[in-house]
Amino acid sequence: MEFTIFTLILLAVVVIYLVSGIKIVPQAELQVIERLGRYHRTLHGGLNFIIPVIDRVRSKFGTQEQVIDIPVQKVITRDNVSIVIDGLVFLRVNNAEHATYEILDLKHAIAQLAQTTLRSEIGKMDLDDTLSSRDTLNATLMIALDNASGGWGAKVTRVEISDISVPEAVQHAMELQLRAERERRATETEAEGLKNATIAKAEGDRQKAFKEAEAIERTADAKRYEQIQLAEGQQQAIVMLAQAMQANPNAAEFLLAKDRIKAWEGIAASDSANKVVIPYEATELVGALSVLQGVLSQAGVAK
C-alpha cells in the first residue's frame, strides 16, 4: 500500500514536471528562454517544449506594431522661438534577444531618444520651416531612431509629429505677417494687371499706327503709280506727236487750227447777248480753215 501511494505521488510529480515543460506561446509573441541563467533560445507562437527548473522565461515581447508616445516638451528653434511639441513613434520588435539583453527598457529608451533627436533637429530649423516641413522632420526622426534602435532588436516604422504649439504672441505676429503678405500679393497682382493692360494698349496703338502708316504708304504707291502711268502716257503722246510732226510739217498747224475752231464753237454757243467777239486777226481763222482743209486733203490722198 505504501509503495502504491509513493508510486502514485512520483507519477504525479513526473506528470507535473512534464506538463510544466510544455509552453504554448500565443501568436504574435516572442519569449526569451534562459537555461541556467544564460540565453538559450527564443520561442515563437505555437507549441514549444522546455526543461523545467533548468529553463525559464526571461522576457516576452509582442511582434505587433507598438506605439510609443513622445512626451510633450519645449523646444527652441534656430530663430530663438520656444515651441511645445510632441509626437508618436511606431515600432516592431524583430529580435527578442537583443531587446532583452542590449537595452534595459526598450520603450523608455526609444521615447528618450526621440526627445533628444527632436530637440536636435528642431534646433537646426526656423519656426516657419518647422511648421511647414513636418514630413521632412518626420522622415529625419525616423531615420535617426531606426539607426539607433536597430541594435536593440526593434524596427521603427513611422514617426509622426502630432502637435506643434507656439506662444500666443508669436501666433498673433504670424497672423499679422500672413495678412501683410496677402495684401502685398494682392497689390502686386493688381500692379501686374495694370502693367499688362498698359502693355496691351501700347501694343494695340502701335499696331494701329503701323496699319495706318501701311495704308498711307499703299495709297501713296497707288498715286505714284497712277502719276507714272499718266506721265508715260503723255510722254508716248508727245513722242507720237513729234513723230507725226516730222512726217507732216503741217501737223502742228492742224492741231492749232483744231483748237481754235473748238474755242470758236464754245464762244458761238454762248447765250450772252451783250458780248461781241472780234478776233485779233480775222485772217487767222480763214488760214486755220485752209490748213485744216489741206491736211484733210493729204490724209485723203494718203488713204
Side-chain angles (χ1 to χ4, degrees), residues 9-260:
I9 293 174
L10 182 60
L11 183 60
V13 171
V14 171
V15 171
I16 294 173
Y17 182 79
L18 293 176
V19 171
S20 62
I22 299 174
K23 285 292 182 182
I24 299 177
V25 180
Q27 182 68 26
E29 185 176 298
L30 301 175
Q31 295 185 5
V32 175
I33 302 299
E34 289 183 346
R35 175 168 292 179
L36 299 177
R38 294 176 62 87
Y39 171 77
H40 176 57
R41 65 193 178 100
T42 300
L43 302 183
H44 297 271
L47 180 62
N48 298 271
F49 297 96
I50 64 173
I51 301 176
V53 180
I54 298 177
D55 294 341
R56 74 182 186 92
V57 178
R58 174 67 171 79
S59 60
K60 299 179 180 180
F61 294 96
T63 58
Q64 296 174 317
E65 192 172 56
Q66 305 176 43
V67 181
I68 300 176
D69 183 36
I70 303 176
V72 178
Q73 60 176 334
K74 288 186 177 181
V75 184
I76 298 178
T77 61
R78 186 172 61 180
D79 49 355
N80 297 322
V81 178
S82 178
I83 63 176
V84 179
I85 188 170
D86 65 347
L88 300 172
V89 178
F90 298 83
L91 61 82
R92 291 178 182 272
V93 175
N94 53 21
N95 191 321
E97 179 186 359
H98 290 173
T100 301
Y101 299 105
E102 299 297 333
I103 191 69
L104 182 61
D105 188 339
L106 178 62
K107 290 186 176 182
H108 180 71
I110 292 293
Q112 294 300 314
L113 179 61
Q115 281 188 303
T116 56
T117 306
L118 192 58
R119 283 196 295 268
S120 175
E121 293 299 325
I122 293 296
K124 301 176 184 178
M125 304 171 66
D126 294 333
L127 178 61
D128 293 339
D129 296 334
T130 302
L131 297 176
S132 61
S133 305
R134 288 197 181 189
D135 293 339
T136 303
L137 184 60
N138 292 337
T140 303
L141 284 174
M142 189 185 74
I143 294 174
L145 294 176
D146 189 45
N147 292 336
S149 63
W152 298 340
K155 171 68 176 177
V156 176
T157 58
R158 189 166 71 255
V159 178
E160 294 290 342
I161 302 300
S162 57
D163 186 31
I164 299 177
S165 301
V166 298
E168 185 176 353
V170 176
Q171 185 174 0
H172 181 65
M174 292 174 62
E175 292 176 355
L176 293 178
Q177 181 182 2
L178 181 61
R179 184 184 305 171
E181 181 67 17
R182 289 177 178 174
E183 292 177 354
R184 182 185 65 82
R185 290 180 181 178
T187 303
E188 290 180 354
T189 303
E190 183 179 0
E192 185 69 18
L194 293 175
K195 183 184 74 173
N196 292 335
T198 302
I199 293 175
K201 184 177 183 302
E203 182 66 19
D205 293 341
R206 187 183 70 83
Q207 291 291 339
K208 180 181 178 181
F210 177 78
K211 294 296 183 181
E212 291 177 351
E214 186 178 6
I216 293 174
E217 182 180 1
R218 290 183 178 180
T219 303
D221 290 341
K223 291 182 178 179
R224 182 171 63 253
Y225 178 79
E226 180 182 1
Q227 292 176 357
I228 291 173
Q229 294 298 320
L230 182 61
E232 290 180 353
Q234 292 177 353
Q235 180 182 6
Q236 292 178 0
I238 293 174
V239 170
M240 293 177 65
L241 181 61
Q243 292 176 354
M245 291 177 65
Q246 291 179 358
N248 188 356
N250 295 324
E253 292 295 334
F254 171 74
L255 293 176
L256 292 175
K258 183 179 179 181
D259 291 339
R260 288 193 184 102

